[in-house]
Amino acid sequence: MSVGMDDVERISQLAKLRLDAEEKKKMSQDLTEILEYFAQVEEVDTSSVSPMFHPVDTDNVWREDAVSDAEMTSEVLREAPQTSDGFFVVPQTVTGAKEEQDE
Amino acid sequence: MNDLKPGSLSIQKIQQLLRRREVCTDELRGAAVEDVSRRDQDVGSFLTVRGSYEGQSVNNGGTVSKASLNGVPCGIKDNLCTSDLPTTCASQMLSGYRPPYDATAVKLLRRAGAHVVGKTNMDEFAMGSSTENSAFAVTHNPWNSRRVPGGSSGGSAAAVAAGLVSFALGSDTGGSVRQPASFCGVVGMKPTYGSISRYGLVAFASSLDQIGPLARSVDDCARVLDVLVRHDERDSTSVKHPEAGAFASAVSESEPRLNGWRIGVPREFVSEGVDEPVRHVVREAADVFRQLGAQVQQCSLPLINHALSAYYIIACSEASSNLARYDGVRYGLRAESADVQEMFIRSRSRGFGQEVKRRIMLGTFALSAGYYEDYYLKAARLRRMISDQLNGSFEEYDLLLTPTTPTVAFRLQERMDDPLAMYMADVCTIPANLAGIPAISVPGGFHEGLPVGIQLMADRFDDRKLLTAARAFELSTGHHRRRPSHAEEGEMGRCGR
């Protein structure tokens, strides 16, 4: 499995990372080398085996959907880069909606 | 001059000094901080040291129970949340981050009277095997300052080895407690998956992550486990361990024997990929166990050769999902942009270091359409097979004996340009994480002045067995008593004189 520059570009978009030209080249080399090593697993027939996603086969753990630790709101928000009136603030994500309605 | 160095003392010794009123806990706390401030410059094991020791719950007087960690100085890996100290995961992404709460493990330690001296250095987000991936500091191996301490819990291992703290907490996803313990000549244990609550541990690969103690003896490790192993409803993977609270009692015998114990040495772990001096130490350890009364035999676990591949696919896949939360919205670094998508991308690209990006990329690839079945699912199926093979071996053997690492501590910078060579450092420790079984590294000997660890693995929930055998080994060899030259003991207090 060779991971080319196009693959690196595609994966980095999925991962929301931007790599410069040099980083891309290094990433392509590193991922290719790592996946070549991983290719040895192909020799093991796993077709009849169920995948193991977790070491403990426990049932889901449920709890009441109740508010707790509500008094911590300000402490939690303290660490956010930008907040307003108890909300996290992000750059505007919806644009033009009102104008379109008005037309 | 005060020559009290609380961090160089065992838990038992500290309890004894307190009981005889030769020192008081305030004195221990002050001396521990002072000693770290003075001596850690050469080691670089701490990222943050608590300058003032007021304000922590001080549990003076009263009875000193056996489980109590009254006045015992400890280090906490910087991926465990502490409400009074920054928690950075050694990443620019979380530089200066102050969690609103203590991790359950930290809370339990404090409740038992332990003194959290500070936060220890690590590989960024616990990704690495040398602590060189830290965004903030270089940690040196106390046995040889040009060598790495191992990783990712390298700061914790170095702090314990240098006698700065009596014990430290690390996290072990593929060997991150045991591998640095081996490189630094201390004891490091990863208990059965789910034994110690992961609430407040910054997630790397949730199906593999487990908190574990590092200490200078198996006895100290067991005492810390007695405090930490308990069910926590805040962690849905937390288990009710049948042996909770009975770990220290498993190591209390002064001349333990292992008559009738069966120990297997899987030949795949002592193949040519492992340096001869390390194999030599394992052979010697096998002889020690024979002298203790155990039967030691070679066995075979052929699928182990695929554990590294399965591990890195699974760990990176889970990491790519877990680290999606760092988007510059709720905490951590934000790189401004008028566009929200661009803000995500810039924040992540600036906040994460090279190895973290590499693993996110690898994981994203393994989970992406067209590759999911061939990589992630294939790895998960292999995990089942490897786990079944390991578990099956415990029908025949009480324990498995292996090296902890294929080499002694390597040189700083030696492997930084070769990610695959760095991943190989975890080849012996990874299988226990895949299967969720307990494993411990104890000092097994030395090669050219550098410590060599041996690893013992046991069946799930057989943590006591592991401790019993490890304790028998350390008592009969005494390797754990050898310390790096500048980490001498100091137990003279002022209070009682």
Side-chain angles (χ1 to χ4, degrees):
Chain A
M1 176 74 208
S2 165
V3 182
M5 297 295 264
D6 290 351
D7 298 310
V8 169
E9 180 59 30
R10 183 181 59 85
I11 304 162
S12 68
Q13 279 177 15
L14 290 171
K16 300 239 178 283
L17 291 171
R18 182 168 296 131
L19 308 175
D20 63 29
E22 204 174 308
E23 283 179 307
K24 271 187 200 166
K25 198 168 154 227
K26 175 97 168 79
M27 192 66 80
S28 157
Q29 287 165 357
D30 288 347
L31 294 186
T32 299
E33 192 193 341
I34 293 165
L35 291 175
E36 271 168 8
Y37 176 81
F38 288 172
Q40 56 163 290
V41 303
E42 283 165 23
E43 69 190 51
V44 187
D45 179 12
T46 56
S47 53
S48 61
V49 185
S50 66
M52 176 174 168
F53 298 117
H54 205 271
V56 190
D57 291 318
T58 49
D59 294 330
N60 204 353
V61 179
W62 304 94
R63 62 166 169 77
E64 288 302 314
D65 185 18
V67 176
S68 65
D69 302 333
E71 74 285 358
M72 286 177 72
T73 309
S74 63
E75 284 167 62
V76 171
L77 288 170
R78 179 191 69 201
E79 289 299 323
Q82 200 185 346
T83 62
S84 174
D85 299 328
F87 291 96
F88 298 109
V89 176
V90 295
Q92 192 171 6
T93 51
V94 183
T95 50
K98 190 157 190 307
E99 285 87 330
E100 280 163 32
Q101 269 177 7
D102 289 347
E103 281 171 12
Chain B
M1 190 196 140
N2 184 10
D3 48 5
L4 178 68
K5 289 181 185 159
S8 71
L9 306 176
S10 69
I11 295 170
Q12 195 183 14
K13 184 78 201 172
I14 289 174
Q15 286 179 345
Q16 200 180 72
L17 292 175
L18 285 170
R19 210 165 33 233
R20 294 181 188 154
R21 303 198 183 276
E22 290 178 37
V23 291
C24 52
T25 50
D26 279 355
E27 187 186 11
L28 287 169
R29 285 165 182 269
V33 169
E34 198 181 300
D35 188 33
V36 170
S37 314
R38 196 176 61 235
R39 287 200 296 133
D40 194 42
Q41 289 162 5
D42 300 338
V43 188
S45 56
F46 281 88
L47 287 176
T48 324
V49 178
R50 222 187 131 80
S52 141
Y53 53 93
E54 288 95 34
Q56 295 195 32
S57 64
V58 180
N59 183 15
N60 270 333
T63 54
V64 181
S65 80
K66 199 170 181 190
S68 168
L69 301 176
N70 234 345
V72 177
C74 67
I76 305 288
K77 189 177 182 178
D78 209 24
N79 60 351
L80 280 151
C81 287
T82 42
S83 56
D84 55 348
L85 290 164
T87 299
T88 69
C89 292
S91 178
Q92 292 292 355
M93 183 60 91
L94 288 175
S95 179
Y97 172 66
R98 284 280 294 275
Y101 62 94
D102 275 345
T104 297
V106 173
K107 195 190 270 182
L108 289 170
L109 290 181
R110 286 186 162 151
R111 204 176 283 168
H115 169 208
V116 175
V117 175
K119 304 297 287 290
T120 55
N121 198 16
M122 56 185 281
D123 286 295
E124 183 179 6
F125 285 103
M127 297 179 185
S129 306
S130 67
T131 310
E132 291 168 290
N133 291 330
S134 168
F136 304 124
V138 177
T139 303
H140 301 270
N141 190 312
W143 294 88
N144 180 332
S145 63
R146 284 190 291 268
R147 305 270 172 161
V148 301
S152 65
S153 314
S156 289
V160 172
L164 296 170
V165 286
S166 298
F167 73 94
L169 292 190
S171 64
D172 191 313
T173 305
S176 282
V177 163
R178 292 160 286 154
Q179 186 258 18
S182 176
F183 278 10
C184 290
V186 300
V187 179
M189 177 159 168
K190 182 197 90 69
T192 298
Y193 181 86
S195 301
I196 299 174
S197 169
R198 292 184 296 112
Y199 182 70
L201 168 69
V202 177
F204 162 13
S206 309
S207 82
L208 303 157
D209 294 344
Q210 181 56 216
I211 294 167
L214 297 105
R216 284 183 301 270
S217 71
V218 177
D219 182 63
D220 281 348
C221 256
R223 288 166 192 265
V224 175
L225 287 174
D226 272 346
V227 170
L228 293 179
V229 175
R230 54 171 63 203
H231 178 253
D232 180 14
E233 60 180 21
R234 290 183 187 248
D235 172 3
S236 65
T237 60
S238 170
V239 296
K240 290 193 173 82
H241 199 300
E243 298 173 341
F247 299 112
S249 66
V251 300
S252 56
E253 272 188 60
S254 55
E255 282 179 47
R257 295 286 303 167
L258 301 175
N259 294 329
W261 288 53
R262 294 154 306 165
I263 298 176
V265 183
R267 67 170 66 92
E268 291 77 12
F269 284 86
V270 283
S271 64
E272 301 87 62
V274 175
D275 281 1
E276 173 50 31
V278 175
R279 282 188 271 170
H280 177 73
V281 163
V282 174
R283 285 194 296 271
E284 282 187 338
D287 287 338
V288 171
F289 284 113
R290 284 191 191 98
Q291 283 154 21
L292 286 164
Q295 287 173 26
V296 185
Q297 285 165 358
Q298 202 170 72
C299 62
S300 179
L301 299 167
L303 283 168
I304 284 298
N305 293 327
H306 296 297
L308 191 72
S309 300
Y311 169 82
Y312 271 95
I313 292 170
I314 292 166
C316 293
S317 297
E318 293 187 25
S320 75
S321 169
N322 270 329
L323 272 63
R325 72 190 64 181
Y326 301 101
D327 54 10
V329 176
R330 288 149 299 165
Y331 36 67
L333 184 140
R334 175 187 286 194
E336 296 296 343
S337 166
D339 177 70
V340 72
Q341 292 292 329
E342 185 63 21
M343 187 273 281
F344 294 158
I345 292 169
R346 283 189 195 175
S347 300
R348 291 167 62 78
S349 303
R350 196 179 298 172
F352 291 137
Q354 195 186 17
E355 179 62 22
V356 174
K357 286 179 185 167
R358 189 154 44 219
R359 294 201 195 187
I360 290 175
M361 290 285 287
L362 193 57
T364 305
F365 168 80
L367 292 173
S368 67
Y371 299 102
Y372 173 83
E373 296 217 350
D374 285 347
Y375 287 92
Y376 180 65
L377 215 51
K378 175 93 185 179
R381 290 182 205 278
L382 256 173
R383 181 181 188 178
R384 171 87 58 198
M385 293 171 77
I386 293 164
S387 183
D388 285 351
Q389 197 165 77
L390 257 174
N391 290 333
S393 72
F394 296 117
E395 286 165 22
E396 224 170 310
Y397 301 102
D398 296 288
L399 301 170
L400 297 177
L401 165 66
T402 74
T404 309
T405 59
T407 66
V408 291
F410 43 89
R411 287 180 185 78
L412 285 160
Q413 289 299 328
E414 190 179 310
R415 298 193 185 184
M416 281 305 274
D417 290 328
D418 188 349
L420 206 51
M422 191 69 94
Y423 297 172
M424 292 292 175
D426 300 334
V427 71
C428 303
T429 44
I430 276 167
N433 298 80
L434 288 175
I437 59 174
I440 192 168
S441 177
V442 284
F446 291 82
H447 174 61
E448 293 178 349
L450 291 167
V452 181
I454 57 152
Q455 177 180 239
L456 294 169
M457 292 184 267
D459 204 355
R460 255 162 58 81
F461 297 121
D462 270 348
D463 302 68
R464 262 185 120 227
K465 244 186 201 177
L466 209 55
L467 290 163
T468 304
R471 180 64 173 164
F473 180 82
E474 77 174 11
L475 284 175
S476 92
T477 62
H479 292 312
H480 68 297
R481 292 193 198 97
R482 197 164 145 189
R483 303 267 45 99
S485 50
H486 63 282
E488 76 279 22
E489 284 199 9
E491 57 185 60
M492 300 299 285
R494 275 183 304 202
C495 260
R497 285 178 290 151

